[in-house]
Amino acid sequence: MSETMETPQPITHSILDGVRHGFFTRQGGVSTGLFQGLNTGIGSSDDPTAVAENRRRVAEIMGGTPDDLAACYQIHSSIARVAEGPWRGDRPEGDAVVTATPGVICAVLTADCAPVLMADREARVVAAVHAGWKGALGGVIHSAVAAMEAQGAQPGRIRAVIGPCIAQASYEVGADFQARFEHHDPGSDRFFALGATPDKRRFDLPGFVLWRLEQSGVGEAIWTGHDTCADAVAFYSNRRAFLRGEPDFGRLMSAIALD
């Protein structure tokens, strides 16, 4: 079966059962070449027509149309936005989208950063968060939980799933990176392991984000366990593209919505 005939099969998790959600992979898209698959990145150099069709397919599986997508212009910040209705293509700056409005599809784009989908089923409030190292360190998880609380959610009832992102084994950084985290958050040293050389470390992004969720009082949180950098068939990866000398990379969409 050709790539264009496949149907997107997003990754889901049982702790979000009853809430429409999905971490979309490369499967089921129309992009070709470097972007082969379901590239949803407007900011990529992919054919805009292909990207639009890929986003339409995601929105359809999420029960809507591209006009129903509420996705920020991501800037690695701690800014959380509340979508009271569909944004109709508008993209305010920010890195988390919260809604209590049925039909609004909260979405984030990633290619190694951690996508986090959250829901308080009782309060009927959901959120999608883009948590790279900078946003996670800067407080985007706390901002998203606070925005959910303002819509009636209770942190203890929130269930959160971290989707496919770069895993510790694939994420080598400088030792100064660890020092920055330890200065900002004492105790964060446990999310770093020795790298290939004494001046290198390997950073556990999903572990750090789980810690942030715990600090925010979230009742239950889990990582799906998928490493975007290590699996080129299923996922796009900024780090992998850099290591291969590729000029660009696709973006994966993760989304959540209230029926």
Side-chain angles (χ1 to χ4, degrees):
M1 182 180 292
S2 69
E3 183 73 17
T4 57
M5 295 300 292
E6 290 182 1
T7 300
Q9 297 288 338
I11 296 165
T12 59
H13 198 280
S14 60
I15 70 169
L16 292 177
D17 280 354
V19 180
R20 192 186 296 261
H21 72 283
F23 300 96
F24 288 82
T25 69
R26 297 179 72 158
Q27 181 181 351
V30 300
S31 293
T32 60
L34 194 64
F35 304 100
Q36 181 72 38
L38 193 71
N39 174 31
T40 53
I42 295 174
S44 71
S45 57
D46 193 6
D47 177 1
T49 302
V51 173
E53 171 59 18
N54 292 335
R55 292 170 71 94
R56 186 200 66 76
R57 292 183 180 200
V58 169
E60 182 178 54
I61 288 176
M62 292 299 300
T65 71
D67 278 345
D68 298 316
L69 291 170
C72 291
Y73 180 84
Q74 297 170 183
I75 55 173
H76 298 277
S77 70
S78 62
I79 298 171
R81 302 287 188 183
V82 175
E84 297 179 348
W87 286 350
R88 305 298 182 197
D90 291 338
R91 292 200 300 158
E93 290 187 344
D95 288 274
V97 186
V98 174
T99 195
T101 304
V104 173
I105 304 170
C106 297
V108 292
L109 299 181
T110 58
D112 285 339
C113 291
V116 188
L117 300 180
M118 302 194 287
D120 178 340
R121 281 183 289 250
E122 185 174 331
R124 290 185 56 76
V125 180
V126 297
V129 185
H130 164 246
W133 73 263
K134 189 176 292 185
L137 184 65
V140 70
I141 297 295
H142 290 76
S143 295
V145 171
M148 291 181 73
E149 282 190 89
Q151 296 297 307
Q154 293 183 14
R157 291 196 310 241
I158 294 174
R159 300 295 178 261
V161 180
I162 301 170
C165 63
I166 193 167
Q168 187 170 27
S170 300
Y171 200 0
E172 190 168 70
V173 298
D176 58 327
F177 197 85
Q178 178 178 352
R180 179 175 184 172
F181 271 72
E182 289 181 2
H183 175 76
H184 191 284
D185 282 294
S188 60
D189 58 310
R190 67 182 183 271
F191 301 108
F192 292 86
L194 291 176
T197 58
D199 62 334
K200 296 295 184 181
R201 301 290 185 273
R202 293 193 182 276
F203 176 51
D204 182 4
L205 175 63
F208 184 76
V209 175
L210 284 170
W211 188 42
R212 279 289 192 241
L213 289 162
E214 179 185 351
Q215 290 175 324
S216 298
V218 167
E220 185 177 3
I222 197 165
W223 174 42
T224 64
H226 299 87
D227 182 352
T228 47
C229 188
D231 189 344
V233 174
F235 308 114
Y236 300 112
S237 167
N238 182 357
R239 175 61 63 98
R240 188 178 63 244
F242 172 78
L243 293 174
R244 290 181 175 181
E246 295 170 348
D248 202 355
F249 51 91
R251 277 71 161 178
L252 306 161
M253 183 172 284
S254 302
I256 191 166
L258 296 165
D259 290 325

